[in-house]
Amino acid sequence: MEYRKLGDSNLEVSAITFGSWAAGGWMWGGTERNESVKAIKASYNEGVTSIDTAPIYGQGLSEEIVGEAIKGIPRDKVQILTKYGMRWDLKKGDFAFKSKNNDGQDIDVYKYSGKESIIKECENSLKRLGTDYIDLYQIHWPDVTTPIEETMEAIQDLITQGKVLYAGVCNYNENQMMEAAKTINLVSNQVPYSMVNRGIEQVVLPYSLANKKSIIAYSPLERGLLTGKINPGHVFANGDHRATNHFFTETNIIKVNAFLQEIIPLAADKGISVGQLVLRWTIDIPGITIALAGARNAEQAIQNAKAIHVKISPDQMSFINSQLDQLLID
C-alpha cells in the first residue's frame, strides 16, 4: 500500500481508502452487516488503513459497522474519516431532500452545521465508532444557513479538546475553502472525481494543489459504472439511488462501456481488472491524494486494495486520456 499525508498535516492515510457509504445500505438497496464488516477487515489486511464514513450513511449504521470492524485493531493503526452536517433527526438548516431509511420509513434530510449540532454529532459518532477521537472530521455538504466561520470555530474547539485531529470539507468550491481557511487549517476537500466526472479539474483541483490541500476523490468508479459490470437494461435493487442517476441512463451506459472496451486490453495485459486500472489512474492524477473505494464483500475489498500495485506508464496514461477525450456523457 502507498501512504500519503493529507495536506500539510502529519496524518498519513492509505491512497486507497475504504468508502463505507454502501456499507450503510441507505440509497444502495440495503446492506448485509456481516459482509460489510468482513470487507473492511479484508481491506485492512491488504494495507488499507483508512476508512471514510458518515452518520447519514444508514442513519448511523455505517459508523456502527466501521466501529465493529476496527474493534481489536490498535487505534493508531487505523485512520477514521467521518463527517457531520447532514441531519435526518432534526428539521433545521437547509432542506436537502426527502428519502427513506433502511426500514422504508420516510425521512427528511437537512444540511445543518450550527455549532450545537456539530458538538452533538461528534459525540454520537464517537460512540458509534467506539473511539475517543476522529482523525479527519469533514463537513458533508455546505450549509447556506450557517456562517462558515461558526462551523469551523466549532471544529477548532473539538480539535482543542482532542476529539478531532484534523479538519476537512466535502463538496466545497474554492471560495468556500478560502472562507473556511480564515478560521481553521483545512487539510482536505472530498469531492466527486472519476474518469467521467472531471469537473474539479477546472478550478478546485488547481486551487487545492496551489494551497497544499489534499483532494479525496469519491465515486472514482462512478458507483460501479466504470467496472464494466453495468450493462443496458440493468435493474437496480429497490432503493438504489443509481436507478435515477444520470450516469446510468441507457445511452451513457453504452457510451461508457464502449470506452471501457478500448482500455480493457491494457488491463488484460497487466493481468488486472478494468476497475483496478481505473482506481490507479485516479490516484496517479496530480493532486488526488486518496481514492475512496467501496466494497460490499471481502473479495471486492481485496481487489480494490490490490489496485495500488498497478503501474501505468506515461504513454499508457496518454492513451487512456486520449480515449477519455472522445467520451461525451449526456
Side-chain angles (χ1 to χ4, degrees), residues 270-283:
K270 295 178 179 294
I272 60 173
S273 70
V274 68
Q276 290 171 321
L277 182 66
V278 171
L279 285 175
R280 184 73 240 192
W281 176 92
T282 305
I283 58 175

Side-chain angles (χ1 to χ4, degrees), residues 76-232:
D76 62 349
K77 301 299 183 183
V78 64
Q79 302 83 47
I80 298 174
L81 291 52
T82 194
K83 310 179 187 78
Y84 61 91
M86 292 194 80
R87 299 293 297 267
W88 66 94
D89 54 344
L90 178 70
K91 295 183 183 299
K92 193 171 184 179
D94 181 21
F95 175 75
F97 53 87
K98 290 184 175 294
S99 184
K100 291 183 181 294
N101 62 21
N102 286 342
D103 295 324
Q105 299 168 328
D106 292 332
I107 56 173
D108 292 336
V109 180
Y110 285 79
K111 292 180 282 189
Y112 181 56
S113 55
K115 184 172 183 177
E116 79 289 349
S117 180
I118 293 171
I119 300 304
K120 176 177 174 57
E121 283 203 74
C122 184
E123 291 301 325
N124 290 341
S125 288
L126 290 171
K127 290 176 183 177
R128 287 190 290 257
L129 291 162
T131 184
D132 56 4
Y133 70 91
I134 294 162
D135 296 270
L136 180 70
Y137 207 30
Q138 310 157 93
I139 184 169
H140 206 147
W141 282 93
D143 164 26
V144 298
T145 69
T146 304
I148 289 176
E149 180 181 12
E150 176 185 335
T151 298
M152 297 305 153
E153 284 178 350
I155 302 306
Q156 188 60 60
D157 287 347
L158 291 170
I159 290 174
T160 300
Q161 295 168 25
K163 295 177 180 178
V164 169
L165 297 188
Y166 295 101
V169 296
C170 303
N171 303 299
Y172 261 37
N173 60 35
E174 70 285 358
N175 292 324
Q176 291 162 331
M177 291 180 73
M178 286 188 280
E179 182 64 27
K182 294 177 182 178
T183 304
I184 201 167
N185 179 40
L186 294 180
V187 300
S188 61
N189 188 9
Q190 183 177 147
V191 286
Y193 183 72
S194 74
M195 285 180 166
V196 297
N197 188 4
R198 300 170 68 181
I200 65 166
E201 292 178 0
Q202 301 302 312
V203 179
V204 171
L205 185 54
Y207 169 84
S208 299
L209 275 168
N211 291 277
K212 298 181 180 179
K213 310 300 181 187
S214 286
I215 290 292
I216 299 174
Y218 72 78
S219 298
L221 294 172
E222 206 51 64
R223 302 166 174 85
L225 182 62
L226 289 168
T227 65
K229 297 177 182 178
I230 306 293
N231 294 306

